[in-house]
Amino acid sequence: MNEDAELAIEAVRRYSAALERIRACLLDAYPDFGCVLDLMVAVGHTRALPRQGKSSTGIEYSVHGVGCRMTDQQGWEVDVDLVDGVEAFDAWRIKWFLDEQSDARPSVEELGRACSYLSGLGELREMRVGRWYALPDR
């Protein structure tokens, strides 16, 4: 494996870890919610929450179209869309995250290959071949 591929794999792992941490912190503020879909229902259908807000745990969220952007207190932002009801991301979302938080600059193509590789190891789930990925079921 070459150095560029290793950098891309590490970048995807950093995004995944940030997503897991920020998502958990957001959901900790809403004990009745099991996932981001529940937040989106509270925003869109029941209107119990505003489209943009800040949780009691300090995570800012912004519901958009079929997804949600979440930002922690340090300014780290992760974004997911719902794909078949599952919180999913693509290489572009990882690239955007990296551009905001890191000196590593793998290409979108390298990140896509890294996602496919990590899904083969079981570290990610491939929701749509070569396009959408999700955190593994825990």
Side-chain angles (χ1 to χ4, degrees), residues 50-63:
R51 183 164 293 284
Q52 296 182 357
K54 187 172 185 177
S55 71
S56 62
T57 55
I59 303 298
E60 293 180 26
Y61 67 87
S62 176
V63 171

Side-chain angles (χ1 to χ4, degrees), residues 12-45:
V12 173
R13 286 178 171 147
R14 280 196 319 273
Y15 173 87
S16 297
L19 173 58
E20 196 163 19
R21 179 183 55 78
I22 293 168
R23 176 191 180 278
C25 192
L26 174 66
L27 295 178
D28 282 350
Y30 306 102
D32 293 338
F33 297 174
C35 60
V36 171
L37 175 59
D38 295 336
L39 173 77
M40 294 175 67
V41 167
V43 167
H45 296 295

Side-chain angles (χ1 to χ4, degrees), residues 40-88:
M40 294 175 67
V41 167
V43 167
H45 296 295
T46 65
R47 303 212 190 284
L49 292 173
R51 183 164 293 284
Q52 296 182 357
K54 187 172 185 177
S55 71
S56 62
T57 55
I59 303 298
E60 293 180 26
Y61 67 87
S62 176
V63 171
H64 58 78
V66 294
C68 182
R69 181 175 54 247
M70 299 162 273
T71 309
D72 71 7
Q73 298 92 332
Q74 290 77 39
W76 289 49
E77 293 183 11
V78 292
D79 189 273
V80 294
D81 272 1
L82 292 181
V83 175
D84 301 329
V86 175
E87 301 156 23

